[in-house]
Structures are given as structure tokens and as C-alpha cells.
Amino acid sequence: MSRMNMIQAINSALDTMMDRDPDVLVFGEDVGYFGGVFRCTAGLQEKYGPTRCFDTPIAEGGIVATAIGMAAYGLRPVAEIQFADYIYPAFDQIVSEAARMRYRSSGEFTSPMVIRSPCGGGIFGGQTHSQSPEGLFTHVAGLKTVMPSNPYDAKGLLIASIEDDDPVLFFEPKRIYNGPFDGHHDRPVQPWTKHAKGEVPDEYYRIELGKAEVTRAGNDLTILTYGTMVHVAECAVEETGVDAEVIDLRTLLPIDVEAIENSVKKTGRCVIVHEATKTSGFGAELMALVQERCFYHLEAPIERVTGWDTPYPHAFEWEYFPGPARVQKAIRKVLEIEGVA
Amino acid sequence: MKAKPLSLHIPEPKARPGDTPDFSDLEIPSAGTVSRPAVDTSAKAMHDYAYDLVRVLDDDGNAVGDWDPKLDPDILRQGLRAMMLTRAYDDRMYRVQRQGKTSFYLKCTGEEAIACSQAIALQDRDMMFPSYRQQGLLIARGWSLVDMMNQVYSNTKDRLKGRQLPIMYSSKECGFFTISGNLGTQFCQAVGWAMASAYKGDTAIAASWVGDGTTAEADFHSGMTFASVYQAPVILNVVNNQWAISSYQGFAGGEQTTFASRAVGYGLPGLRVDGNDFLAVYAVTKWAEERARNNLGPTLIEHFTYRADAHSTSDDPSAYRPKEESERWPLGDPIERLKDHLIGLGQWSEEQHDELAKELKEQVKQAGKEAEANGTLGQGPQLSAKYMFEDVYKEMPWHLREQRQELGV
């Protein structure tokens, strides 16, 4: 067991899997010698050699296509797309190729591969280093989409993703690489070393895909969230003093509908929080699921707290970012209907 | 001083419907004039090959020059048979589409030499990443026609379970990668496969095919970049059949340069070959194969050919090119050319040729009967719609299980 931040935990997952399986290859822009712009692959080339961890041309479509070819051969490639904002040149390869390989060949060819990509805002990255495009991928049949919210989960989920026989999009909220940012941008962020989820086993372990985690048990309402917003939601709950249940979805597809259903049926109220834009975002899918499955248990309309439907703006970062104040407002709204808060 | 107004250039083919086809401006060197470099020649020393045209069969059907692969007559007859079978298969499948037995078909008429000779030149364990016009690869490798037809009909024996558009075959066993339909996506995937083979210390190489139009796709250039950067053991083929549906190759840049010359900028050897010359295609492919197999890196081959028929059953080329253009194609018909060569060698005759044509037609007919007994699209025995929900993931997630139950299959 070691104290790790999320970067170290991801590095440890890659290291663990490269050590266990010579078919695991890690590559991407600046990933090899330098160890990645966020240092997630630091030391791997030195340890495993340049044919196992290497730099690539700046061609995201080519990176993913290469990974698909390698996976078809029988390897388990882990490709890094440097920023989720840069994933679009690879969209066709992900959506039309990796996602459908098993289906269109009836299982003759498959794409067991992971695409890791830092996502999300809060770092003054402007519109090209801040996006949360997970909803574009949860819409695609054949893909799995994962987003961890802490170092412990990041390692366990990444290992499970590498071992998965289907293609996995693994989005890493970069704002929480170094600590559980709670949305209060004017306060210092606690490092992961002071957080329970910063305790990470050095050895191999898995967190199964498709399983959510209740990070805070409660009875008055359910907050469905993932990634950075888990910490923002928890903070909002603390500050409001309500007895909310916070569910960290961890895997967006396949979604843990049982965890959602159990919780919302218990609390009767639901707030959905994500950083991505609102319209046709993953929150819309969550709302539909809750409505379809829990309608007669609902005591208030479901609320969504999301990024605004604009490109990610540089100077208005904190007006854009759905921070604790907006989450609190939503919490009060779903509870006030019965006059609880 | 007043500047002269600019004007925009839009490429235009030399002949449109009603015009007389004119190929007089094509520079076609005589067969045998291009030398054959050693397989370890540096890419830098090979620039001229990207603008030349390797030809082995001359106008009289003789094999001439350095590139003559001096194939055993048995191999030549095997190649001729594969090309003729491909054409017979295409003819029947085109007709059954017209009869309403399937939704779509796509022939490779005039381009048979490329896939058929390359399938023979490659080894069994090599992985081929084709576009949709390389059915000759499967046929030359002896893959079952019935199996191919089952796919075209989406019938009960379709190994792809009715999920793919007709002709989007897949056969891992035959070394034939699942066809996408999105243009050029397979090019860089082949490079990835080749890189994996090299990483594992395997001996298998990869090959991929795109058309002239597809060279405009980013995926073509990604494939070229990755192949060059990692010196992957791969053969990258551009089948320049002059037409991308109705867009002539000028819209992919062919007006300004050759497609083989794309290799020059990537530091790869680029070879341009008469795509209707079975022997030339075989020889150039063997050269590239030997180079890749010996870890000397990738090669780009431009096969200069002509799409003698429509793009597909959904296309009518008389709307955009002269009807007689295909007959005027100066590089002839690949089947006729190999036939003439074999006859010239004293290894074949008109009678044998007619006999074989009849035999193959019958073979295709019998295969057709067998396949149609398994059903055709919407007629006869049909696949269960439950297959729609399988293989989306290795294990079916709850939401697909629910949807399958909702459909009641």
C-alpha cells in the first residue's frame, strides 16, 4: 500500500499490467521517453523498453487505428490521447471501427484496447484543454466508457479496462490528478495523500466495470455523478447539511442501473451532476433511466447540474464550471418542493 | 497596378458522356523497360519508380524484362482460373441482385489481376486488410464461394449473421480482415497489425488496399506516416481504377502527380505498376513482400487500372463517363492478357479457355444453388433477429438484454 495521487495510480496500473502481460503496449503523443505531458507514463519506457512504451506521430486517428490493428493481432494496446479535446480526429476509428469490430465480424476480430484521455476543466485550459466528451461515446454501441474519481478507483478500473475484451474509453478528470478538487477554486486543494482513496495497493487489483459506488450514504435525495463532480457534490452536500446519498457511477456504460434504482427508490429525489454540456449530455440518459424506472417513487422533478451549453470559455472558467453553489441550489430545489430544506 | 482577378481551378476529366474517350495523353512505357532494383535499395534511390510504370506483358503477350517473375505455368493457370472465377462470381451475383435476391452488389471487373496475383504472392499467415473491391483475394485463396454468397444473401448460414452490407466479407481463417465500408480506415489498422507482428518477432506481414479516391482521406496519410515512422512490415496498395463513383482520379490529386509518388514524401519506396498485367503485379508484390519480410520496411504500390464496370449496383456510369471508355482503356483486359501469354507459351489454348469458362460458370451456379437453399435476403429461411443483439459486447449488458426481450426474440 502506498500513498498515491491519481497520476501515480494510473502509472502504477500501467506498470502492473505491463509487468504481468507482455502483450500490453502503451503509446501516444509524448508518452515514451518524456513520460506523458501529465507524467502518467513516466518511467515505463525506461523499465520496459521503447518497443513497449513509445511516442507516436501527432495523428490521433492513426494512433487509434494502429491500436485497432494491434488488438486485431492479439495485443492489448493502451493508447493515450493527450487531451480529450483532441480525440475527434480519431472519432471515426473509435465509433465506426473499434466499437463495431466484434459485431461486424461476428467475433472473428475484436478490439480489446483502452484509450486513455485526460478530460474536464478547471485548469484554465480554454476550449481545447477542458472538454468532457464522454456523452459522445456513451451514445455508441460497442464501447465502454469509464471515468474514475480517485486514485484507488483509477488503478483498479484501469486494470479492469485493460483486461476487458471490448474497447474502453478511459477518461481521466485532470483537475483531480493531484487532489480531490471540490469546486472551491479559491481554496487550496487537499492532496490525495490526505484522502482515504489516496491509499493505493502497489499490487494488482481490479474494480469491475459497470459497478457504481455509494460514496456517501443518505436518505433524503440521490446525487448521481462521476469524475471531478463527485467531490463537488460531496462538498455541496456537506455545506447544505442534507442527508444525501452520493453515487459515483465510475462506469458510464454499461451503467449500474441497479445502484441508481435502489437509491432513487429509497430517497425519492434525484439530482444529476456532470461537468459536460447539458443538452444531449449523459445526464439526459440518467434522467430518462430514473424516470423510466423510478417514476412512482419520485417526489420531485429530477434536477440536472451541468456545464452550460457553450464551448468551454477561458476567462469565465468559474462561471462555467458547475461548482458547489449550483449543486446546492439544485439540492434545495428538489427538497424544497416538500419544504424540507 | 491593378491585380489580375484570380480564378478557381476545378479538375475535369477529358471525356464525358457523348465525348470520344481519349487516353492519348497517358504515358505508357513499353513492357520490360523498367529495371528491377534490389529489394534493399534505399527509398531515396527509388524516386523514379513512383512515376514510371512496371510492365511485364508486352502487346503480343510475351513476358519481358527484369520484372518477369518467371512463374511456373501451373501458377499462371492458377491465377487465370482465379481471375475467371472472380469474374464469373461477379456476373452471377450482379444478376441475383438485379433479381431482387439481395440489396447490393459490387463487381471488380477489369481489376481481377490485382487481388488474384497478390493473394498468390502473399503467404497464408499474412493478414490482408482489403477495401470492398478485393473479392479476388478470397477467391484466389480458394475460399468457399458458398460462404461468400451466404454473406451476400444475409442468409441463415451467413457467418456475419446478417449484420453487414453484402460483400463486406470477413474471414480470419483466410487472412481476410473484416471490411469496413468507411473508406481507408483499414490502411493504418494494417500498419498496426504489422507493427504487432514485428513486436512479437513473428514472420507474418500485412497488406492493405485503398482506391485512388481514398488516398485523399486522412487515414491514408496516417497509414503512410505510421508505416514510415515505425518501418512496419506492410504492403500498402492504391488501386487507381480512375474512378471514385463519379469522381475521376483528378479529385484525389491524380491530375498533378501519380499516387505512387505519395510515397516519396514519406520516405518510402513507391512503385507504379500496370494493374492489368498479372505478371507485373505479382512481381512488384513479391518485391515488396520480400522487402517487408526481411524487415526492410513498407512499400507503396500504385496499381494503374480501370474500373470497367459500375461502382456498384447502385451506380450508372453512363451518367458521367463515355460508355465506350472501358473498351478504349489502353492496358487491356487482365484475363485476356494472361490468357494470350499462356497460349503464347504453348501452355493453354482457346478450347481449354472456353472449357474452363464453362466449368467455372457451372461451379458458380452450383454454389449459388447451395447458398440460395440457405435463404436469400427476405426470402426462404431467415436468421433470427436475436443475432442483432449479440456480439455488440463480449457479454451482453443488461440494457441490450432488455431491448432484446422487448423485441421478443
Side-chain angles (χ1 to χ4, degrees):
Chain A
M1 203 66 101
S2 298
R3 289 279 173 187
M4 292 188 202
N5 63 27
M6 213 151 132
I7 293 163
Q8 292 161 328
I10 287 161
N11 186 272
S12 172
L14 295 170
D15 187 10
T16 302
M17 289 312 293
M18 289 177 90
D19 185 53
R20 285 168 70 95
D21 182 355
D23 288 343
V24 174
L25 265 55
V26 172
F27 51 90
E29 296 156 13
D30 303 301
V31 156
Y33 184 85
F34 179 55
V37 294
F38 289 104
R39 320 300 302 141
C40 287
T41 56
L44 297 176
Q45 183 175 82
E46 202 177 2
K47 188 166 176 186
Y48 296 100
T51 62
R52 297 215 40 209
C53 176
F54 53 86
D55 295 322
T56 63
I58 304 171
E60 291 77 13
I63 293 169
V64 173
T66 301
I68 291 169
M70 288 178 165
Y73 181 93
L75 303 185
R76 292 207 170 246
V78 183
E80 177 178 306
I81 300 296
Q82 197 165 79
F83 285 87
D85 315 63
Y86 304 162
I87 207 165
Y88 310 114
F91 203 59
D92 188 42
Q93 286 287 346
I94 298 169
V95 172
S96 313
E97 300 295 314
R100 297 190 209 146
M101 205 57 77
R102 178 188 300 281
Y103 190 75
R104 78 181 202 212
S105 71
S106 278
E108 281 195 337
F109 297 96
T110 57
S111 299
M113 56 188 274
V114 179
I115 299 168
R116 290 182 39 246
S117 194
C119 71
I123 62 152
F124 278 99
Q127 44 126 12
T128 54
H129 303 81
S130 306
Q131 294 167 45
S132 298
E134 66 275 8
L136 297 173
F137 298 96
T138 57
H139 192 58
V140 177
L143 298 178
K144 294 183 178 177
T145 303
V146 175
M147 196 188 294
S149 71
N150 60 70
Y152 180 84
D153 286 0
K155 179 171 176 181
L157 287 167
L158 183 52
I159 287 175
S161 299
I162 294 170
E163 289 185 329
D164 201 275
D165 289 327
D166 291 308
V168 179
L169 271 295
F170 192 87
F171 288 112
E172 302 164 3
K174 62 178 102 63
R175 188 63 180 83
I176 56 169
Y177 267 155
N178 289 305
F181 176 66
D182 63 9
H184 285 292
H185 55 93
D186 47 354
R187 298 180 198 165
V189 179
Q190 283 229 331
W192 281 114
T193 45
K194 295 195 173 149
H195 194 281
K197 295 280 191 166
E199 282 276 320
V200 180
D202 295 302
E203 63 273 18
Y204 168 95
Y205 65 96
R206 288 168 56 100
I207 293 177
E208 296 309 317
L209 304 188
K211 296 277 176 233
E213 188 189 26
V214 177
T215 60
R216 186 193 188 287
N219 292 302
D220 290 349
L221 82 153
T222 300
I223 300 182
L224 302 176
T225 186
Y226 52 91
T228 303
M229 302 313 291
V230 170
H231 308 288
V232 175
E234 283 178 347
C235 169
V237 169
E238 292 306 318
E239 289 171 355
T240 324
V242 295
D243 186 21
E245 187 144 294
V246 178
I247 297 187
D248 177 0
L249 296 169
R250 304 199 287 196
T251 302
L252 306 188
L253 201 93
I255 185 82
D256 187 349
V257 74
E258 219 177 285
I260 295 172
E261 221 178 307
N262 288 343
S263 180
V264 178
K265 281 183 177 169
K266 179 179 74 177
T267 64
R269 295 166 203 274
C270 182
V271 171
I272 292 159
V273 186
H274 64 54
E275 210 183 313
T277 50
K278 185 174 192 175
T279 303
S280 299
F282 191 65
E285 181 59 36
L286 292 171
M287 258 183 138
L289 281 175
V290 171
Q291 190 277 139
E292 281 165 5
R293 285 159 196 270
C294 310
F295 183 78
Y296 294 106
H297 294 80
L298 284 177
E299 294 172 51
I302 308 160
E303 274 295 307
R304 263 189 295 178
V305 183
T306 71
W308 307 119
D309 282 342
T310 68
Y312 208 107
H314 180 244
F316 313 115
E317 181 115 57
W318 305 117
E319 287 83 0
Y320 180 91
F321 187 90
R326 285 184 55 207
V327 179
Q328 284 181 35
K329 199 173 156 196
I331 290 172
R332 279 195 293 272
K333 194 167 173 194
V334 298
L335 292 175
E336 266 170 12
I337 288 173
E338 276 203 346
V340 175
Chain B
M1 201 178 83
K2 206 179 164 204
K4 240 177 96 183
L6 296 165
S7 64
L8 177 64
H9 174 69
I10 307 290
E12 183 57 32
K14 281 192 80 180
R16 287 297 195 184
D19 299 338
T20 306
D22 177 13
F23 291 113
S24 58
D25 64 330
L26 285 186
E27 286 175 36
I28 299 174
S30 301
T33 52
V34 180
S35 65
R36 185 183 187 277
V39 291
D40 59 355
T41 305
S42 79
K44 241 185 220 166
M46 288 192 57
H47 290 182
D48 290 349
Y49 290 89
Y51 304 92
D52 220 321
L53 192 67
V54 175
R55 305 183 69 214
V56 172
L57 289 172
D58 68 14
D59 294 345
D60 303 318
N62 302 308
V64 293
D66 268 9
W67 284 96
D68 177 8
K70 301 195 166 55
L71 289 174
D72 188 284
D74 283 342
I75 303 277
L76 296 178
R77 278 186 291 261
Q78 182 193 343
L80 183 68
R81 186 186 186 94
M83 288 198 288
M84 290 170 72
L85 184 56
T86 301
R87 192 165 293 182
Y89 174 80
D90 273 356
D91 285 344
R92 181 178 175 92
M93 299 320 284
Y94 175 85
R95 278 203 315 278
V96 300
Q97 192 277 340
R98 285 296 186 247
Q99 291 162 4
K101 290 177 181 173
T102 190
S103 56
F104 178 83
Y105 192 72
L106 185 150
K107 299 162 82 173
C108 65
T109 313
E111 302 173 39
E112 293 91 344
I114 300 161
C116 291
S117 69
Q118 294 198 286
I120 295 170
L122 292 168
Q123 292 184 7
D124 285 350
R125 285 191 54 253
D126 297 338
M127 186 59 79
M128 307 182 290
F129 290 75
S131 83
Y132 43 58
R133 216 179 296 278
Q134 277 79 48
Q135 55 265 55
L137 295 173
L138 284 166
I139 291 174
R141 281 195 169 185
W143 193 248
S144 154
L145 295 184
V146 178
D147 187 78
M148 292 171 72
M149 289 170 171
N150 289 338
Q151 196 280 327
V152 172
Y153 288 134
S154 288
N155 68 19
T156 52
K157 291 282 170 68
D158 172 13
R159 286 181 308 112
L160 307 185
K161 303 190 177 111
R163 295 169 184 155
Q164 273 279 48
L165 187 73
I167 66 100
M168 303 289 177
Y169 311 107
S170 174
S171 173
K172 193 173 191 175
E173 194 187 329
C174 194
F176 189 95
F177 192 72
T178 155
I179 297 174
S180 169
N182 283 22
L183 294 179
T185 51
Q186 74 278 13
F187 219 52
C188 198
Q189 292 167 4
V191 175
W193 196 97
M195 287 168 68
S197 182
Y199 165 72
K200 292 296 274 185
D202 198 343
T203 57
I205 64 168
S208 188
W209 290 261
V210 293
D212 43 290
T214 299
T215 62
E217 289 278 9
D219 277 339
F220 170 80
H221 297 278
S222 293
M224 294 292 286
T225 302
F226 279 68
S228 172
V229 167
Y230 301 106
Q231 289 294 293
V234 62
I235 303 172
L236 299 169
N237 297 283
V238 176
V239 180
N240 175 7
N241 67 10
Q242 314 299 321
W243 291 94
I245 306 187
S246 72
S247 305
Y248 91 113
Q249 41 85 26
F251 282 97
E255 196 179 39
Q256 312 299 340
T257 188
T258 69
F259 293 102
S261 75
R262 299 289 186 233
V264 175
Y266 290 99
L268 301 181
L271 287 153
R272 200 155 162 271
V273 59
D274 176 351
N276 291 17
D277 178 341
F278 183 93
L279 294 180
V281 174
Y282 182 93
V284 167
T285 306
K286 266 291 172 198
W287 185 93
E289 185 245 12
E290 204 181 324
R291 191 172 172 102
R293 193 93 57 200
N294 287 299
N295 225 30
L296 297 168
T299 302
L300 180 73
I301 304 173
E302 175 187 350
H303 304 266
F304 198 65
T305 184
Y306 186 83
R307 195 194 77 211
D309 214 318
H311 165 72
S312 73
T313 48
S314 310
D315 175 43
D316 172 13
S318 71
Y320 52 80
R321 69 184 191 189
K323 271 186 179 143
E324 49 300 15
E325 199 178 82
S326 72
E327 292 149 33
R328 299 283 183 91
W329 180 245
L331 295 173
D333 179 84
I335 294 177
E336 292 301 313
R337 288 176 68 189
L338 186 58
K339 172 190 143 190
D340 291 348
H341 175 60
L342 269 164
I343 291 175
L345 289 176
Q347 293 287 341
W348 198 240
S349 68
E350 291 287 356
E351 296 70 38
Q352 280 174 299
H353 196 81
D354 293 345
E355 192 85 354
L356 180 62
K358 261 185 239 156
E359 180 199 323
L360 297 176
K361 196 175 171 188
E362 186 56 29
Q363 183 186 338
V364 172
K365 191 175 160 191
Q366 288 309 317
K369 278 187 180 165
E370 201 181 317
E372 288 181 26
N374 303 322
T376 58
L377 188 65
Q379 294 289 321
Q382 296 296 307
L383 282 168
S384 164
K386 74 175 182 185
Y387 292 120
M388 176 162 57
F389 297 97
E390 294 177 1
D391 293 326
V392 179
Y393 297 92
K394 189 178 184 194
E395 272 134 40
M396 193 180 293
W398 67 268
H399 64 284
L400 282 173
R401 221 171 25 247
E402 272 193 10
Q403 290 169 29
R404 189 187 65 188
Q405 283 159 0
E406 189 182 333
L407 183 65
V409 291

